Amino acid sequence: MAAHWDDLRVFLAVAREESLSAAGRRLQVDPATVGRRVARLETAFESPLFVKSPTGYALTDAGQRLMGHALRVEQSLQEATEEMVGQSSGLSGQIRIGAPDGVANYLLPRVCGRIADDNPDLDIQIVALPRVVSLSRREADLVVAVSAPTAGRLTVQKITDYKLHLAAARWYLRNRPKITCVEDLKDHMVTGYIPDMIFDKELDYLSETGIDRVRLASNSASVQFNWVRSGAGIGVVHDFAIPWGRGVVKVLKDEISLTRSFYLIRHADDRRLERLNRFSEALCEGIRHEVAHLEGQT
C-alpha cells in the first residue's frame, strides 16, 4: 500500500507538534482525523510511527526513518511549486521564523510587519522560545540564533552584531545605594538567567561581570527586562530593548559592555527555494536596520 502525500503531511505535523490536537490546529482539521491518518500510515508500513509519552507523541525508530523521506517529499513539492509558479513580484504563502524571545519581542515585530506590508499574500509566524528551535524537524523554516551551529546540514549567515549593557530604571537607582563600580552591585537586586537553563553559552552574560548571585531569575529575556523596567532590579539588557522601557538607563556602561552576534540559520536543502532566499534577504536587512536604529536611541 503506497503512502499518499496528504497522509505524510499529517505525519509531519504530528512529528513537529508532538500532539494530535496541535497538529490538527496547524492543519485546520480535527484531531480525530489526524489520528486516523496516522493510523492509516502505520497500517501501510506495518509499524508504529509514534509512541505516546508524558510530553506528547514521540517518533519511533520507524517514524524517524520515515521523517527523512517525508521531508524530502515536502522539499521536492516546494521546489516544484516555485518552479511552476515562477518568481512573482511579491512573496506569498506561510513562513515560520524561530527566534529567542528577546529577538522575537523587540526586533521581529516591526521587521516582519514591514515585510508583511510589502507582501500582502505572505503570512509570517514567529515562534518565540527560550531554547534552540529545531530545523531538522522543521519546527521553523529559518531560525535567528545567537551562535553559529557547527554540525548538521545547515547554512549559516551572520546578520549583525548587537550590544548589551547593565541597565536599571531611574526610580530604582534613586532609591538604592549608589553604583560607582562593579563591587557595588553586591548591594543590589540582580536579574538574569536561571543558570541551569541557559541554552546557549553566548547568553551567559553575568559570568563576564563578576556577579555571582541572581536573586530574580528567569529563562526568558523578556521577563528579565520586565523586572528591570518595572524597577524590581538591575540586569544585563539588550541595547535594542532599552528604548522599549520608559525610564530605563545604562549603568556602568564603560565597565560592563558586551557584544554578541545574530545568525540566520537555514536547512541546507532550502538554498534552492527562491521564496525563502528573498525573505531571508529582507529579514536580515530589516534586523540590521532595526538594531542600528534602536541602539542609536540609547
Side-chain angles (χ1 to χ4, degrees), residues 228-270:
V228 168
R229 68 180 178 181
S230 69
I234 185 170
V236 175
V237 171
H238 301 87
D239 280 17
F240 58 71
I242 291 177
W244 297 102
R246 185 170 177 268
V248 174
V249 295
K250 295 177 184 177
V251 178
L252 299 178
K253 63 181 181 180
D254 295 324
E255 290 87 344
I256 299 177
S257 179
L258 309 178
T259 300
R260 296 291 191 270
S261 302
F262 287 132
Y263 299 87
L264 184 71
I265 317 298
R266 294 173 55 188
H267 199 282
D269 291 341
D270 290 346

Side-chain angles (χ1 to χ4, degrees), residues 145-293:
V146 294
S147 64
T150 56
R153 298 191 64 255
L154 305 169
T155 59
V156 181
Q157 174 186 355
K158 182 177 177 179
I159 302 173
T160 188
D161 291 332
Y162 63 97
K163 297 185 179 301
L164 307 99
H165 285 86
L166 203 64
R170 287 193 178 95
W171 50 92
Y172 171 88
L173 296 172
R174 281 198 297 265
N175 300 314
R176 300 285 177 156
K178 192 173 183 180
I179 303 174
T180 60
C181 61
V182 175
E183 288 71 26
D184 292 336
L185 296 175
K186 69 180 184 298
D187 299 321
H188 288 265
M189 189 82 74
V190 176
T191 73
Y193 279 101
I194 300 171
D196 62 351
M197 297 186 75
I198 297 176
F199 65 89
D200 192 300
K201 62 181 177 59
E202 296 297 329
L203 301 178
D204 190 11
Y205 307 133
L206 293 180
S207 65
E208 299 184 35
T209 68
I211 298 172
D212 57 9
R213 184 186 180 192
V214 178
R215 295 187 60 194
L216 296 173
S218 173
N219 66 332
S220 164
S222 299
V223 171
Q224 296 170 40
F225 183 59
N226 282 329
W227 269 326
V228 168
R229 68 180 178 181
S230 69
I234 185 170
V236 175
V237 171
H238 301 87
D239 280 17
F240 58 71
I242 291 177
W244 297 102
R246 185 170 177 268
V248 174
V249 295
K250 295 177 184 177
V251 178
L252 299 178
K253 63 181 181 180
D254 295 324
E255 290 87 344
I256 299 177
S257 179
L258 309 178
T259 300
R260 296 291 191 270
S261 302
F262 287 132
Y263 299 87
L264 184 71
I265 317 298
R266 294 173 55 188
H267 199 282
D269 291 341
D270 290 346
R271 63 185 179 274
R272 291 171 292 185
L273 295 176
E274 182 62 23
R275 185 175 67 104
L276 281 183
N277 291 339
R278 293 166 61 201
F279 181 84
S280 298
E281 183 179 349
L283 182 69
C284 290
E285 182 180 349
I287 291 175
R288 292 186 199 105
H289 177 273
E290 194 70 2
V291 168
H293 171 67

